[in-house]
Amino acid sequence: MSDLLDRLRDRGWRLTSQRRVVAEVLDGDHVHLTADEVHARAAERLPEISRATVYNTLGELVTLGEILEVATDGRAKRYDPNAHRPHQHLVCFACGTIRDVHPTGDPLAALPAAERFGFTITAAEVTYRGLCADCVRRSG
Amino acid sequence: MSDLLDRLRDRGWRLTSQRRVVAEVLDGDHVHLTADEVHARAAERLPEISRATVYNTLGELVTLGEILEVATDGRAKRYDPNAHRPHQHLVCFACGTIRDVHPTGDPLAALPAAERFGFTITAAEVTYRGLCADCVRRSG
DNA sequence: TTCTTGACTTAGACTGTGTCTATCTTAGGA
DNA sequence: TCCTAAGATAGACACAGTCTAAGTCAAGAA
């Protein structure tokens, strides 16, 4: 993840210990943490870090395109460090687990011009929903 | 919309004036109101209706499959009375306008078995995002 | 028609998530 | 090393939604 820190420094990001631990917490490609989870993990290394700083830093990383904001339910947003490879999400109804998935084709192509109502469309997000194997087993 | 009220009565729904006005507010196929907007419109006809009742009633209608809950951003959920015709949503980045759209094909078919990770998948929601014609004009 | 009862409604407290403000601290250039 | 604007902090605030305890009423029974 030092390449993330390098990229940020190259863009003139002032590197503080708080920003460093937030970036480190988001290291790895298969986590989808809430802001509070990021805060809790960051606080293990830097106990005095504040919630506001975590929110600010996450917001900046989203603006810079280094992480994605994912709102799969009405609850807390989740932050996805896998921003450089296009993907969609698969969410378990029961336990809320999120997996990155890679459908074939471009979902945008499925929307005919007549269904675009003059919009300039730039993104198509797909959320697949179901029960994960563990929750199927558990529920019978 | 009296067919909605009929369907609800058939399912043993106790019909109160509060539930009636909430159902009436949701009449029509192209509204996507927040709970607070539903409450405001319901209160025009029944000023003493409480927020809790609106939330309860919306939740019941969702459970019964009569309306859909739509969470297109991290903000308030919206309620979509167009639950009986499958469709997806097109959302304007700038003004938040939501339109129902009908893409071709089944988005579920685009997800290969190898990308399903043992999930029993039952739904695929697609959110198209872009700028509506009005906001394109305004911004540039 | 009136009575009865449990389902429904209410006000308002409470929770979780996120934002804002005023003040203090500090990274990094001079 | 010093300066200063960018960043961090605590805590108040805002919004969306849930919960609780007490009061009300729709609809079946008599």
Side-chain angles (χ1 to χ4, degrees):
Chain A
M1 172 119 311
S2 66
D3 24 330
L4 167 55
L5 293 177
D6 286 347
R7 281 201 300 279
L8 295 172
R9 208 185 334 250
D10 288 350
R11 302 205 217 175
W13 225 44
R14 189 157 141 185
L15 196 47
T16 66
S17 54
Q18 291 85 352
R19 287 173 167 190
R20 187 191 308 272
V21 297
V22 169
E24 285 170 0
V25 164
L26 290 167
D27 195 357
D29 275 354
H30 294 292
V31 289
H32 296 87
L33 302 175
T34 64
D36 261 7
E37 288 165 352
V38 171
H39 178 244
R41 297 196 185 190
E44 289 171 9
R45 308 194 205 176
L46 196 64
E48 68 277 22
I49 194 172
S50 73
R51 287 192 334 125
T53 297
V54 171
Y55 277 103
N56 287 341
T57 305
L58 290 171
E60 286 157 11
L61 289 170
V62 170
T63 301
L64 291 172
E66 294 291 345
I67 63 177
L68 296 174
E69 217 173 54
V70 184
T72 54
D73 53 7
R75 314 301 308 259
K77 291 174 190 165
R78 294 181 173 273
Y79 293 89
D80 182 346
N82 188 9
H84 295 295
R85 239 154 302 138
H87 63 279
Q88 306 298 343
H89 292 109
L90 171 54
V91 182
C92 177
F93 278 125
C95 66
T97 292
I98 302 178
R99 304 235 21 171
D100 290 357
V101 294
H102 304 81
T104 58
D106 178 4
L108 250 177
L111 195 66
E115 285 283 316
R116 299 193 179 199
F117 302 102
F119 276 61
T120 305
I121 304 180
T122 51
E125 294 162 16
V126 185
T127 305
Y128 296 96
R129 294 186 192 275
L131 282 177
C132 71
D134 284 353
C135 288
V136 167
R137 208 173 301 128
R138 220 170 287 142
S139 72
Chain B
M1 171 122 309
S2 66
D3 26 330
L4 168 55
L5 293 177
D6 287 346
R7 282 200 300 278
L8 295 172
R9 210 186 334 251
D10 288 349
R11 302 204 217 178
W13 226 44
R14 188 159 143 188
L15 197 46
T16 65
S17 53
Q18 291 84 351
R19 288 174 165 186
R20 188 192 307 273
V21 297
V22 169
E24 285 171 359
V25 163
L26 288 167
D27 195 358
D29 275 355
H30 292 293
V31 289
H32 296 87
L33 302 175
T34 64
D36 262 7
E37 287 164 352
V38 172
H39 178 245
R41 296 196 186 189
E44 288 171 9
R45 306 194 205 176
L46 196 65
E48 67 278 21
I49 193 171
S50 74
R51 287 192 335 125
T53 295
V54 171
Y55 277 104
N56 289 341
T57 305
L58 290 172
E60 287 156 12
L61 290 170
V62 169
T63 301
L64 292 172
E66 294 291 345
I67 62 175
L68 297 174
E69 217 174 56
V70 185
T72 54
D73 54 5
R75 313 300 308 260
K77 291 175 189 163
R78 294 181 172 274
Y79 294 89
D80 182 346
N82 188 10
H84 296 294
R85 238 155 302 138
H87 63 279
Q88 306 298 344
H89 292 110
L90 170 55
V91 182
C92 177
F93 278 124
C95 67
T97 291
I98 302 178
R99 304 234 25 171
D100 290 356
V101 294
H102 304 82
T104 59
D106 178 4
L108 251 177
L111 195 66
E115 285 281 318
R116 297 192 180 199
F117 303 102
F119 277 59
T120 304
I121 304 180
T122 50
E125 295 163 15
V126 185
T127 305
Y128 297 95
R129 293 186 193 277
L131 282 177
C132 70
D134 284 354
C135 288
V136 166
R137 207 172 301 125
R138 221 171 286 141
S139 70

